[in-house]
Amino acid sequence: MSVRLQKGQKVSLSKDHAGLSKVLIGLGWDEAKRSGGGFFSRKPKPIDCDASAFLLKNGKLADKTDIVYYGNLQHKSGAVQHLGDNLTGAGEGDDEQIVVDLSCVPAEYDRMVIVVNIYGAASRKQHFGMIENAFIRLVDGRNNKEMCQYSLTEDYSEMTAMIFGEVYRQDGEWKFNAIGQGTKDKAIGDLANRYR
């Protein structure tokens, strides 16, 4: 049965799911309804959210090759793979997915931070207050059963990026922490600088 997490809540993946290896991390969101500006106003650009995984060593991002995102779909270890960019967030279910083979994550990496930023947020004047139904969920790759889900419930107006959560290794056990921290970072590079 899937656990519904609250902000800041942690859950053990290894203990509750013995033998767990492959995990699918699904992220989803919907664009909130926007009021039409008028007959002659331009149609607003769709909101393009981009999910990324930062692989950290001792809590730090050592190298840009440790960022898995639409421009680098697979980590050099082969343990983390991004399944592709969704430009609009349209449709049901996950909008972007990241697959992690926990058994193949090199020992020097202690955590993976999962972030989402709005592409071109500043120039398009977009922010997370214009998004609804945003969530992150972890699925057991052996049986496709959802293990846990964390849905954003706060008002994130003016925030252009989001630190959704982290999968981390502690005492030989894999865990997940629901973070839900909005930021005003404009791009993946700005988010990455938080971990350098």
Side-chain angles (χ1 to χ4, degrees), residues 57-71:
K57 298 176 183 177
N58 296 317
K60 296 286 184 193
L61 187 62
D63 191 300
K64 69 178 181 180
T65 62
D66 289 333
I67 302 173
V68 179
Y69 69 111
Y70 68 86

Side-chain angles (χ1 to χ4, degrees), residues 36-160:
F39 188 71
F40 292 107
S41 64
R42 276 194 201 148
K43 185 177 180 196
K45 288 188 184 281
I47 298 175
D48 177 9
C49 292
D50 294 320
S52 308
F54 298 163
L55 280 77
L56 309 182
K57 298 176 183 177
N58 296 317
K60 296 286 184 193
L61 187 62
D63 191 300
K64 69 178 181 180
T65 62
D66 289 333
I67 302 173
V68 179
Y69 69 111
Y70 68 86
N72 178 35
L73 292 175
Q74 186 161 319
H75 188 256
K76 57 194 171 194
S77 66
V80 182
Q81 181 179 7
H82 191 299
L83 297 184
D85 193 12
N86 178 326
L87 300 176
T88 65
E92 296 294 313
D94 300 339
D95 291 309
E96 293 194 10
Q97 296 177 325
I98 298 169
V99 177
V100 181
D101 188 339
L102 298 174
S103 65
C104 294
V105 175
E108 65 264 27
Y109 295 100
D110 57 345
R111 65 186 60 232
M112 283 164 278
V113 179
I114 310 301
V115 301
V116 174
N117 68 290
I118 298 174
Y119 180 81
S123 63
R124 296 178 178 194
K125 296 180 175 51
Q126 296 173 341
H127 54 81
F128 271 86
M130 303 163 87
I131 290 173
E132 59 188 11
N133 307 321
F135 66 85
I136 181 171
R137 67 189 193 109
L138 277 67
V139 176
D140 187 332
R142 296 171 296 185
N143 54 24
N144 289 327
K145 289 197 173 153
E146 185 176 280
M147 297 179 287
C148 60
Q149 180 170 328
Y150 167 54
S151 297
L152 299 182
T153 56
E154 296 178 25
D155 179 11
Y156 291 101
S157 293
E158 306 311 316
M159 299 297 155
T160 53

